[in-house]
Amino acid sequence: MEKIAMLGGGSWATALTKILAENGSRVHWWMRSKDDVQHLLRTRHNPRYLSSVAHDLNRVFPTTDLEDAVREADWLVLAVPAAFVQSTLDKLDRDALKHKRIISAIKGMIPGKNVLVTDYVAERFRLSHARLGVVAGPCHAEEVALEKQSYLTIGSPDAELAEDFSRLLRNRYVKANPAQDLDGIEYCAVMKNIIALTCGIAHGLGYGDNFQAVLVSNAVQEIRRFVHAVNPQPRDLSASAYLGDLLVTAYSQFSRNRTFGSMVGRGYSVKSAQLEMNMIAEGYYAVKSIYEMNRKLQVNMPITAAAYHILYEKISPAIEVELLKEKFK
């Protein structure tokens, strides 16, 4: 029985805990909220996210003790928002993860540092990237809760690690496959949230499916240019870990980044949209990180630039999308 430390109390942490526990793993589930842990222990349900899922408390062990959750684990799965990764992990001793394998289920970057989550973890805990992996979609937590057919890719430079974690996830409704492109998959996961957010802004402004299709097709080219500049190597960006993840996030009703963008397009301020959603839209932070990285790279990235101008420079969404559409073909 594999022992997993699951860090995070959101919908993706809840979905992954469901899969791993039902497949036989022992999951020590760390949450920040004592009330949420107590609710889980009483009712077997996460009160905030995917509350329809009933967890088997013989295999799932909710706790607010981070060190206790991590101590005996074979695997550490990170599913906290990227903005809270540093404050969470800095509570651990630098040797706490020495003999563990770490999987990031985070589709974001460390704000302020503008680095991938796996790069931060490798540096903070002095780990080889061969001990790290990332979970990519296309897969929404809400559909996992409903046990709808889903596909996951586990990216890691270590083929054995990627296959081992894939095996822990496979079941009748989840297919999981290994891949060795850690950085490419992780950067694409960050970028797709920026694109979904921009699609949402356009939708909120009243643009239709025709425009969104053109936006997404231009986005594929933008992602390709950026990923090649930051981590050049052969990769097929039409694969599901890249294009599939982009499409489901840009189009799905479950996409929080699209929802956030739609609210901004309809006139909400960033703050009011965040408060009403009561969920983290990783794309908001990713826009700033990627935009700042690109000041050095100088890649042609009109969609990312438009999103940055709207969210951080408070340019009118209507004006910015009007300018953006002239750059599309």
Side-chain angles (χ1 to χ4, degrees):
M1 182 182 292
E2 296 283 338
K3 290 175 283 188
I4 317 286
M6 178 66 64
L7 273 55
S11 56
W12 198 210
T14 306
L16 289 171
T17 295
K18 167 185 166 64
I19 298 168
L20 290 164
E22 289 179 354
N23 282 356
S25 293
R26 182 182 178 95
V27 183
H28 293 266
W29 188 3
W30 176 82
M31 294 181 172
R32 184 177 283 105
S33 169
K34 291 182 180 179
D35 290 342
D36 290 356
V37 167
Q38 290 302 316
H39 186 92
L40 257 165
L41 290 171
R42 287 195 312 271
T43 71
R44 302 189 300 138
H45 297 270
N46 184 342
R48 299 176 188 268
Y49 302 98
L50 305 187
S51 55
S52 64
V53 176
H55 298 278
D56 181 355
L57 297 183
N58 292 313
R59 291 179 178 168
V60 176
F61 304 91
T63 180
T64 58
D65 189 328
L66 180 62
E67 290 183 352
D68 186 58
V70 170
R71 187 177 297 112
E72 301 300 324
D74 304 304
W75 298 85
L76 177 71
V77 179
L78 297 171
V80 298
F84 303 137
V85 168
Q86 188 172 356
S87 62
T88 300
L89 293 184
D90 281 358
K91 298 171 185 175
L92 296 173
D93 184 87
R94 293 196 69 174
D95 292 326
L97 308 185
K98 183 183 293 185
H99 303 297
K100 304 183 191 305
R101 297 197 276 184
I102 294 89
I103 299 292
S104 172
I106 302 167
K107 310 290 181 71
M109 301 181 73
I110 307 296
K113 292 183 176 292
N114 299 341
V115 297
L116 295 172
V117 171
T118 54
D119 288 339
Y120 170 75
V121 172
E123 180 182 358
R124 170 69 176 78
F125 295 97
R126 297 171 293 203
L127 298 174
S128 163
H129 279 79
R131 300 195 66 81
L132 298 164
V134 62
V135 179
C139 186
H140 279 304
E142 291 81 359
E143 291 200 354
V144 170
L146 296 170
E147 300 189 356
K148 291 184 177 291
Q149 187 65 56
S150 300
Y151 293 78
L152 293 170
T153 300
I154 311 304
S156 174
D158 185 278
E160 184 179 356
L161 180 150
E163 172 55 31
D164 286 348
F165 199 72
S166 295
R167 190 172 60 251
L168 295 180
L169 294 170
R170 292 182 187 123
N171 61 23
R172 63 180 174 80
Y173 60 90
V174 174
K175 292 185 180 296
N177 295 296
Q180 290 185 262
D181 181 18
L182 177 65
D183 284 356
I185 289 172
E186 200 166 1
Y187 274 118
C188 283
V190 172
M191 287 291 299
K192 57 100 177 181
N193 285 333
I194 298 173
I195 305 310
L197 191 154
T198 310
C199 285
I201 291 173
H203 179 264
L205 289 168
Y207 287 82
D209 293 346
N210 293 343
F211 179 73
Q212 179 159 322
V214 173
L215 194 161
V216 171
S217 61
N218 277 266
V220 172
Q221 299 170 51
E222 182 165 320
I223 292 170
R224 180 179 290 111
R225 291 192 295 267
F226 177 79
V227 174
H228 180 74
V230 75
N231 185 256
Q233 62 173 276
R235 54 174 60 91
D236 179 8
L237 291 185
S238 66
S240 62
Y242 311 100
L243 180 59
D245 209 4
L246 169 63
L247 292 176
V248 76
T249 309
Y251 285 95
S252 175
Q253 61 176 321
F254 296 125
S255 170
R256 65 188 66 178
N257 289 282
R258 178 183 166 89
T259 299
F260 175 80
S262 182
M263 294 171 75
V264 171
R266 297 199 311 269
Y268 282 71
S269 68
V270 167
K271 188 67 175 177
S272 60
Q274 289 173 327
L275 288 172
E276 184 161 322
M277 282 182 63
N278 195 32
M279 299 175 81
I280 298 292
E282 292 281 15
Y284 171 71
Y285 300 101
V287 165
K288 191 170 189 289
S289 292
I290 297 296
Y291 184 84
E292 289 178 349
M293 284 183 67
N294 198 44
R295 284 179 172 151
K296 180 178 180 180
L297 296 169
Q298 291 295 299
V299 175
N300 179 27
M301 300 181 70
I303 301 172
T304 301
Y308 180 86
H309 296 156
I310 293 167
L311 298 177
Y312 289 93
E313 296 182 347
K314 296 182 171 57
I315 304 297
S316 161
I319 292 172
E320 198 62 41
V321 175
E322 185 71 24
L323 293 172
L324 180 63
K325 75 179 189 181
E326 296 303 319
K327 299 173 183 178
F328 292 163
K329 296 180 181 179

